[in-house]
PDB file of all heavy atoms in Angstrom:
ATOM      1  N   PHE I   1      21.201 -14.711 -10.748  1.00 98.00           N
ATOM      2  CA  PHE I   1      22.532 -14.414 -10.233  1.00 98.00           C
ATOM      3  C   PHE I   1      22.674 -12.868 -10.147  1.00 98.00           C
ATOM      4  O   PHE I   1      22.547 -12.189 -11.209  1.00 98.00           O
ATOM      5  CB  PHE I   1      23.674 -15.009 -11.014  1.00 98.00           C
ATOM      6  CG  PHE I   1      25.008 -14.861 -10.430  1.00 98.00           C
ATOM      7  CD1 PHE I   1      25.368 -15.563  -9.320  1.00 98.00           C
ATOM      8  CD2 PHE I   1      25.964 -13.968 -10.950  1.00 98.00           C
ATOM      9  CE1 PHE I   1      26.610 -15.444  -8.752  1.00 98.00           C
ATOM     10  CE2 PHE I   1      27.229 -13.820 -10.402  1.00 98.00           C
ATOM     11  CZ  PHE I   1      27.538 -14.551  -9.252  1.00 98.00           C
ATOM     12  N   GLY I   2      22.868 -12.332  -8.988  1.00 98.00           N
ATOM     13  CA  GLY I   2      22.961 -10.880  -8.824  1.00 98.00           C
ATOM     14  C   GLY I   2      21.665 -10.200  -8.375  1.00 98.00           C
ATOM     15  O   GLY I   2      21.668  -8.970  -8.178  1.00 98.00           O
ATOM     16  N   ALA I   3      20.613 -10.949  -8.262  1.00 98.00           N
ATOM     17  CA  ALA I   3      19.351 -10.385  -7.787  1.00 98.00           C
ATOM     18  C   ALA I   3      19.342 -10.275  -6.271  1.00 98.00           C
ATOM     19  O   ALA I   3      20.125 -10.969  -5.586  1.00 98.00           O
ATOM     20  CB  ALA I   3      18.161 -11.238  -8.260  1.00 98.00           C
ATOM     21  N   MET I   4      18.458  -9.432  -5.728  1.00 98.00           N
ATOM     22  CA  MET I   4      18.379  -9.192  -4.256  1.00 98.00           C
ATOM     23  C   MET I   4      16.911  -9.191  -3.819  1.00 98.00           C
ATOM     24  O   MET I   4      16.020  -8.867  -4.636  1.00 98.00           O
ATOM     25  CB  MET I   4      19.035  -7.908  -3.874  1.00 98.00           C
ATOM     26  CG  MET I   4      20.498  -7.776  -4.181  1.00 98.00           C
ATOM     27  SD  MET I   4      21.135  -6.198  -3.718  1.00 98.00           S
ATOM     28  CE  MET I   4      21.018  -6.253  -1.868  1.00 98.00           C
ATOM     29  N   ARG I   5      16.661  -9.493  -2.603  1.00 98.00           N
ATOM     30  CA  ARG I   5      15.346  -9.293  -1.966  1.00 98.00           C
ATOM     31  C   ARG I   5      15.591  -8.961  -0.497  1.00 98.00           C
ATOM     32  O   ARG I   5      16.318  -9.643   0.227  1.00 98.00           O
ATOM     33  CB  ARG I   5      14.439 -10.501  -2.160  1.00 98.00           C
ATOM     34  CG  ARG I   5      12.975 -10.194  -1.807  1.00 98.00           C
ATOM     35  CD  ARG I   5      12.056 -11.338  -2.097  1.00 98.00           C
ATOM     36  NE  ARG I   5      10.674 -10.999  -1.945  1.00 98.00           N
ATOM     37  CZ  ARG I   5       9.824 -10.879  -2.934  1.00 98.00           C
ATOM     38  NH1 ARG I   5      10.234 -11.039  -4.185  1.00 98.00           N
ATOM     39  NH2 ARG I   5       8.576 -10.558  -2.695  1.00 98.00           N
ATOM     40  N   HIS I   6      14.890  -7.879  -0.052  1.00 97.00           N
ATOM     41  CA  HIS I   6      15.040  -7.443   1.307  1.00 97.00           C
ATOM     42  C   HIS I   6      16.494  -7.283   1.756  1.00 97.00           C
ATOM     43  O   HIS I   6      16.905  -7.622   2.820  1.00 97.00           O
ATOM     44  CB  HIS I   6      14.332  -8.391   2.281  1.00 97.00           C
ATOM     45  CG  HIS I   6      12.827  -8.478   2.047  1.00 97.00           C
ATOM     46  ND1 HIS I   6      12.053  -7.392   1.979  1.00 97.00           N
ATOM     47  CD2 HIS I   6      12.069  -9.585   1.830  1.00 97.00           C
ATOM     48  CE1 HIS I   6      10.796  -7.799   1.744  1.00 97.00           C
ATOM     49  NE2 HIS I   6      10.818  -9.106   1.629  1.00 97.00           N
ATOM     50  N   GLY I   7      17.373  -6.783   0.809  1.00 97.00           N
ATOM     51  CA  GLY I   7      18.723  -6.522   1.115  1.00 97.00           C
ATOM     52  C   GLY I   7      19.658  -7.729   1.107  1.00 97.00           C
ATOM     53  O   GLY I   7      20.851  -7.605   1.390  1.00 97.00           O
ATOM     54  N   LYS I   8      19.129  -8.929   0.773  1.00 98.00           N
ATOM     55  CA  LYS I   8      19.975 -10.127   0.733  1.00 98.00           C
ATOM     56  C   LYS I   8      20.120 -10.593  -0.691  1.00 98.00           C
ATOM     57  O   LYS I   8      19.155 -10.554  -1.485  1.00 98.00           O
ATOM     58  CB  LYS I   8      19.348 -11.260   1.640  1.00 98.00           C
ATOM     59  CG  LYS I   8      19.252 -10.842   3.084  1.00 98.00           C
ATOM     60  CD  LYS I   8      18.691 -12.040   3.924  1.00 98.00           C
ATOM     61  CE  LYS I   8      19.747 -13.162   4.053  1.00 98.00           C
ATOM     62  NZ  LYS I   8      19.243 -14.230   4.974  1.00 98.00           N
ATOM     63  N   MET I   9      21.282 -11.059  -1.027  1.00 98.00           N
ATOM     64  CA  MET I   9      21.656 -11.536  -2.368  1.00 98.00           C
ATOM     65  C   MET I   9      21.017 -12.887  -2.592  1.00 98.00           C
ATOM     66  O   MET I   9      21.008 -13.777  -1.689  1.00 98.00           O
ATOM     67  CB  MET I   9      23.128 -11.608  -2.574  1.00 98.00           C
ATOM     68  CG  MET I   9      23.820 -10.232  -2.525  1.00 98.00           C
ATOM     69  SD  MET I   9      23.384  -9.150  -3.919  1.00 98.00           S
ATOM     70  CE  MET I   9      23.997 -10.080  -5.312  1.00 98.00           C
ATOM     71  N   ALA I  10      20.527 -13.118  -3.815  1.00 98.00           N
ATOM     72  CA  ALA I  10      20.193 -14.473  -4.247  1.00 98.00           C
ATOM     73  C   ALA I  10      21.418 -15.363  -3.984  1.00 98.00           C
ATOM     74  O   ALA I  10      22.558 -14.976  -4.278  1.00 98.00           O
ATOM     75  CB  ALA I  10      19.779 -14.528  -5.683  1.00 98.00           C
ATOM     76  N   GLY I  11      21.221 -16.505  -3.428  1.00 98.00           N
ATOM     77  CA  GLY I  11      22.325 -17.368  -3.055  1.00 98.00           C
ATOM     78  C   GLY I  11      22.488 -17.445  -1.560  1.00 98.00           C
ATOM     79  O   GLY I  11      23.134 -18.409  -1.039  1.00 98.00           O
ATOM     80  N   SER I  12      21.982 -16.457  -0.842  1.00 98.00           N
ATOM     81  CA  SER I  12      22.079 -16.412   0.631  1.00 98.00           C
ATOM     82  C   SER I  12      20.665 -16.333   1.269  1.00 98.00           C
ATOM     83  O   SER I  12      20.551 -15.961   2.420  1.00 98.00           O
ATOM     84  CB  SER I  12      22.939 -15.237   1.081  1.00 98.00           C
ATOM     85  OG  SER I  12      22.368 -14.006   0.733  1.00 98.00           O
ATOM     86  N   ILE I  13      19.641 -16.631   0.516  1.00 98.00           N
ATOM     87  CA  ILE I  13      18.256 -16.569   0.997  1.00 98.00           C
ATOM     88  C   ILE I  13      17.659 -17.928   1.259  1.00 98.00           C
ATOM     89  O   ILE I  13      17.271 -18.209   2.412  1.00 98.00           O
ATOM     90  CB  ILE I  13      17.388 -15.748   0.028  1.00 98.00           C
ATOM     91  CG1 ILE I  13      17.989 -14.338  -0.194  1.00 98.00           C
ATOM     92  CG2 ILE I  13      15.924 -15.627   0.564  1.00 98.00           C
ATOM     93  CD1 ILE I  13      17.278 -13.588  -1.328  1.00 98.00           C
ATOM     94  N   ALA I  14      17.581 -18.720   0.264  1.00 98.00           N
ATOM     95  CA  ALA I  14      17.068 -20.136   0.420  1.00 98.00           C
ATOM     96  C   ALA I  14      18.161 -20.920   1.104  1.00 98.00           C
ATOM     97  O   ALA I  14      19.320 -20.518   1.242  1.00 98.00           O
ATOM     98  CB  ALA I  14      16.766 -20.730  -0.943  1.00 98.00           C
ATOM     99  N   ASP I  15      17.801 -22.167   1.563  1.00 98.00           N
ATOM    100  CA  ASP I  15      18.757 -23.039   2.220  1.00 98.00           C
ATOM    101  C   ASP I  15      19.921 -23.372   1.257  1.00 98.00           C
ATOM    102  O   ASP I  15      21.089 -23.301   1.650  1.00 98.00           O
ATOM    103  CB  ASP I  15      18.048 -24.301   2.706  1.00 98.00           C
ATOM    104  CG  ASP I  15      17.015 -24.024   3.750  1.00 98.00           C
ATOM    105  OD1 ASP I  15      17.272 -23.229   4.675  1.00 98.00           O
ATOM    106  OD2 ASP I  15      15.929 -24.700   3.670  1.00 98.00           O
ATOM    107  N   PHE I  16      19.524 -23.746   0.046  1.00 99.00           N
ATOM    108  CA  PHE I  16      20.505 -23.980  -1.002  1.00 99.00           C
ATOM    109  C   PHE I  16      20.042 -23.259  -2.280  1.00 99.00           C
ATOM    110  O   PHE I  16      18.797 -23.084  -2.456  1.00 99.00           O
ATOM    111  CB  PHE I  16      20.604 -25.482  -1.344  1.00 99.00           C
ATOM    112  CG  PHE I  16      21.209 -26.322  -0.240  1.00 99.00           C
ATOM    113  CD1 PHE I  16      20.440 -26.717   0.821  1.00 99.00           C
ATOM    114  CD2 PHE I  16      22.567 -26.674  -0.300  1.00 99.00           C
ATOM    115  CE1 PHE I  16      21.016 -27.456   1.895  1.00 99.00           C
ATOM    116  CE2 PHE I  16      23.087 -27.427   0.715  1.00 99.00           C
ATOM    117  CZ  PHE I  16      22.355 -27.802   1.788  1.00 99.00           C
ATOM    118  N   THR I  17      20.941 -22.825  -3.122  1.00 99.00           N
ATOM    119  CA  THR I  17      20.607 -22.045  -4.319  1.00 99.00           C
ATOM    120  C   THR I  17      21.481 -22.487  -5.482  1.00 99.00           C
ATOM    121  O   THR I  17      22.680 -22.607  -5.365  1.00 99.00           O
ATOM    122  CB  THR I  17      20.774 -20.531  -4.118  1.00 99.00           C
ATOM    123  OG1 THR I  17      19.982 -20.104  -3.005  1.00 99.00           O
ATOM    124  CG2 THR I  17      20.422 -19.767  -5.373  1.00 99.00           C
ATOM    125  N   SER I  18      20.850 -22.828  -6.610  1.00 98.00           N
ATOM    126  CA  SER I  18      21.569 -23.160  -7.829  1.00 98.00           C
ATOM    127  C   SER I  18      21.481 -21.972  -8.798  1.00 98.00           C
ATOM    128  O   SER I  18      20.461 -21.322  -8.969  1.00 98.00           O
ATOM    129  CB  SER I  18      20.999 -24.424  -8.448  1.00 98.00           C
ATOM    130  OG  SER I  18      19.683 -24.182  -8.913  1.00 98.00           O
ATOM    131  N   PHE I  19      22.594 -21.768  -9.505  1.00 99.00           N
ATOM    132  CA  PHE I  19      22.700 -20.697 -10.498  1.00 99.00           C
ATOM    133  C   PHE I  19      23.163 -21.363 -11.826  1.00 99.00           C
ATOM    134  O   PHE I  19      23.860 -22.325 -11.846  1.00 99.00           O
ATOM    135  CB  PHE I  19      23.736 -19.649 -10.164  1.00 99.00           C
ATOM    136  CG  PHE I  19      23.411 -18.855  -8.933  1.00 99.00           C
ATOM    137  CD1 PHE I  19      24.162 -19.030  -7.756  1.00 99.00           C
ATOM    138  CD2 PHE I  19      22.399 -17.943  -8.947  1.00 99.00           C
ATOM    139  CE1 PHE I  19      23.855 -18.278  -6.648  1.00 99.00           C
ATOM    140  CE2 PHE I  19      22.084 -17.152  -7.838  1.00 99.00           C
ATOM    141  CZ  PHE I  19      22.821 -17.349  -6.670  1.00 99.00           C
ATOM    142  N   SER I  20      22.707 -20.722 -12.922  1.00 98.00           N
ATOM    143  CA  SER I  20      23.167 -21.159 -14.256  1.00 98.00           C
ATOM    144  C   SER I  20      24.087 -20.114 -14.863  1.00 98.00           C
ATOM    145  O   SER I  20      23.873 -18.910 -14.818  1.00 98.00           O
ATOM    146  CB  SER I  20      21.921 -21.384 -15.208  1.00 98.00           C
ATOM    147  OG  SER I  20      22.339 -21.668 -16.509  1.00 98.00           O
ATOM    148  N   PHE I  21      25.117 -20.609 -15.563  1.00 98.00           N
ATOM    149  CA  PHE I  21      26.018 -19.734 -16.318  1.00 98.00           C
ATOM    150  C   PHE I  21      26.060 -20.221 -17.787  1.00 98.00           C
ATOM    151  O   PHE I  21      27.059 -20.137 -18.481  1.00 98.00           O
ATOM    152  CB  PHE I  21      27.445 -19.829 -15.739  1.00 98.00           C
ATOM    153  CG  PHE I  21      27.503 -19.427 -14.300  1.00 98.00           C
ATOM    154  CD1 PHE I  21      28.274 -20.199 -13.341  1.00 98.00           C
ATOM    155  CD2 PHE I  21      26.850 -18.345 -13.793  1.00 98.00           C
ATOM    156  CE1 PHE I  21      28.357 -19.855 -12.024  1.00 98.00           C
ATOM    157  CE2 PHE I  21      26.878 -17.993 -12.427  1.00 98.00           C
ATOM    158  CZ  PHE I  21      27.653 -18.733 -11.554  1.00 98.00           C
ATOM    159  N   HIS I  22      24.932 -20.716 -18.233  1.00 98.00           N
ATOM    160  CA  HIS I  22      24.725 -21.203 -19.599  1.00 98.00           C
ATOM    161  C   HIS I  22      24.970 -20.004 -20.574  1.00 98.00           C
ATOM    162  O   HIS I  22      24.956 -18.865 -20.173  1.00 98.00           O
ATOM    163  CB  HIS I  22      23.322 -21.745 -19.750  1.00 98.00           C
ATOM    164  CG  HIS I  22      22.999 -22.231 -21.141  1.00 98.00           C
ATOM    165  ND1 HIS I  22      22.356 -21.444 -22.080  1.00 98.00           N
ATOM    166  CD2 HIS I  22      23.221 -23.434 -21.692  1.00 98.00           C
ATOM    167  CE1 HIS I  22      22.212 -22.157 -23.196  1.00 98.00           C
ATOM    168  NE2 HIS I  22      22.732 -23.379 -22.982  1.00 98.00           N
ATOM    169  N   ALA I  23      25.122 -20.314 -21.826  1.00 98.00           N
ATOM    170  CA  ALA I  23      25.537 -19.308 -22.841  1.00 98.00           C
ATOM    171  C   ALA I  23      24.508 -18.198 -22.947  1.00 98.00           C
ATOM    172  O   ALA I  23      24.870 -17.041 -23.308  1.00 98.00           O
ATOM    173  CB  ALA I  23      25.636 -19.983 -24.231  1.00 98.00           C
ATOM    174  N   VAL I  24      23.248 -18.423 -22.600  1.00 98.00           N
ATOM    175  CA  VAL I  24      22.171 -17.327 -22.721  1.00 98.00           C
ATOM    176  C   VAL I  24      21.979 -16.610 -21.408  1.00 98.00           C
ATOM    177  O   VAL I  24      21.183 -15.653 -21.385  1.00 98.00           O
ATOM    178  CB  VAL I  24      20.857 -17.944 -23.150  1.00 98.00           C
ATOM    179  CG1 VAL I  24      20.960 -18.659 -24.484  1.00 98.00           C
ATOM    180  CG2 VAL I  24      20.241 -18.822 -22.112  1.00 98.00           C
ATOM    181  N   LYS I  25      22.715 -16.924 -20.381  1.00 98.00           N
ATOM    182  CA  LYS I  25      22.553 -16.264 -19.060  1.00 98.00           C
ATOM    183  C   LYS I  25      23.299 -14.947 -19.053  1.00 98.00           C
ATOM    184  O   LYS I  25      24.207 -14.644 -19.792  1.00 98.00           O
ATOM    185  CB  LYS I  25      22.907 -17.176 -17.965  1.00 98.00           C
ATOM    186  CG  LYS I  25      22.044 -18.436 -17.871  1.00 98.00           C
ATOM    187  CD  LYS I  25      20.579 -18.161 -17.683  1.00 98.00           C
ATOM    188  CE  LYS I  25      19.739 -19.334 -17.375  1.00 98.00           C
ATOM    189  NZ  LYS I  25      19.635 -20.323 -18.462  1.00 98.00           N
ATOM    190  N   ASN I  26      22.915 -14.109 -17.992  1.00 98.00           N
ATOM    191  CA  ASN I  26      23.531 -12.802 -17.799  1.00 98.00           C
ATOM    192  C   ASN I  26      25.026 -12.926 -17.701  1.00 98.00           C
ATOM    193  O   ASN I  26      25.790 -12.122 -18.280  1.00 98.00           O
ATOM    194  CB  ASN I  26      23.052 -12.140 -16.540  1.00 98.00           C
ATOM    195  CG  ASN I  26      21.565 -11.801 -16.553  1.00 98.00           C
ATOM    196  OD1 ASN I  26      20.836 -12.258 -17.389  1.00 98.00           O
ATOM    197  ND2 ASN I  26      21.158 -11.010 -15.634  1.00 98.00           N
ATOM    198  N   LEU I  27      25.490 -13.854 -16.885  1.00 98.00           N
ATOM    199  CA  LEU I  27      26.885 -14.153 -16.741  1.00 98.00           C
ATOM    200  C   LEU I  27      27.134 -15.554 -17.242  1.00 98.00           C
ATOM    201  O   LEU I  27      26.438 -16.505 -16.754  1.00 98.00           O
ATOM    202  CB  LEU I  27      27.304 -14.058 -15.260  1.00 98.00           C
ATOM    203  CG  LEU I  27      28.790 -14.241 -14.907  1.00 98.00           C
ATOM    204  CD1 LEU I  27      29.133 -13.490 -13.612  1.00 98.00           C
ATOM    205  CD2 LEU I  27      29.179 -15.711 -14.707  1.00 98.00           C
ATOM    206  N   THR I  28      28.002 -15.710 -18.187  1.00 98.00           N
ATOM    207  CA  THR I  28      28.173 -17.037 -18.828  1.00 98.00           C
ATOM    208  C   THR I  28      29.564 -17.582 -18.635  1.00 98.00           C
ATOM    209  O   THR I  28      30.537 -16.876 -18.569  1.00 98.00           O
ATOM    210  CB  THR I  28      27.829 -16.938 -20.320  1.00 98.00           C
ATOM    211  OG1 THR I  28      27.873 -18.272 -20.881  1.00 98.00           O
ATOM    212  CG2 THR I  28      28.774 -16.100 -21.101  1.00 98.00           C
ATOM    213  N   THR I  29      29.615 -18.925 -18.607  1.00 98.00           N
ATOM    214  CA  THR I  29      30.825 -19.667 -18.704  1.00 98.00           C
ATOM    215  C   THR I  29      30.751 -20.659 -19.894  1.00 98.00           C
ATOM    216  O   THR I  29      31.438 -21.677 -19.885  1.00 98.00           O
ATOM    217  CB  THR I  29      31.211 -20.393 -17.406  1.00 98.00           C
ATOM    218  OG1 THR I  29      30.132 -21.277 -17.082  1.00 98.00           O
ATOM    219  CG2 THR I  29      31.467 -19.381 -16.264  1.00 98.00           C
ATOM    220  N   ALA I  30      29.926 -20.351 -20.865  1.00 98.00           N
ATOM    221  CA  ALA I  30      29.533 -21.195 -21.985  1.00 98.00           C
ATOM    222  C   ALA I  30      28.463 -22.218 -21.544  1.00 98.00           C
ATOM    223  O   ALA I  30      27.327 -22.199 -22.026  1.00 98.00           O
ATOM    224  CB  ALA I  30      30.721 -21.863 -22.649  1.00 98.00           C
ATOM    225  N   GLU I  31      28.869 -23.194 -20.793  1.00 98.00           N
ATOM    226  CA  GLU I  31      27.984 -23.978 -19.943  1.00 98.00           C
ATOM    227  C   GLU I  31      28.455 -23.774 -18.544  1.00 98.00           C
ATOM    228  O   GLU I  31      29.468 -23.126 -18.294  1.00 98.00           O
ATOM    229  CB  GLU I  31      28.073 -25.489 -20.343  1.00 98.00           C
ATOM    230  CG  GLU I  31      27.628 -25.856 -21.710  1.00 98.00           C
ATOM    231  CD  GLU I  31      26.091 -25.892 -21.851  1.00 98.00           C
ATOM    232  OE1 GLU I  31      25.402 -25.794 -20.768  1.00 98.00           O
ATOM    233  OE2 GLU I  31      25.594 -25.968 -23.004  1.00 98.00           O
ATOM    234  N   GLY I  32      27.762 -24.251 -17.559  1.00 98.00           N
ATOM    235  CA  GLY I  32      28.208 -24.075 -16.184  1.00 98.00           C
ATOM    236  C   GLY I  32      27.151 -23.669 -15.201  1.00 98.00           C
ATOM    237  O   GLY I  32      26.081 -23.205 -15.597  1.00 98.00           O
TER     238      GLY I  32
END
């Protein structure tokens, strides 16, 4: 989450993109 490649954000590159907001991730919602 927040990474980029060739000027495009992760989340808008692949057809579908899943992100984690688990407690150990950069951005957390505890789980999520």
Side-chain angles (χ1 to χ4, degrees):
F1 188 72
M4 299 179 68
R5 194 176 188 107
H6 299 308
K8 297 183 72 174
M9 295 293 294
S12 64
I13 301 171
D15 297 317
F16 292 82
T17 301
S18 67
F19 295 111
S20 174
F21 304 135
H22 180 266
V24 301
K25 296 302 189 293
N26 294 14
L27 185 152
T28 186
T29 57
E31 295 283 350

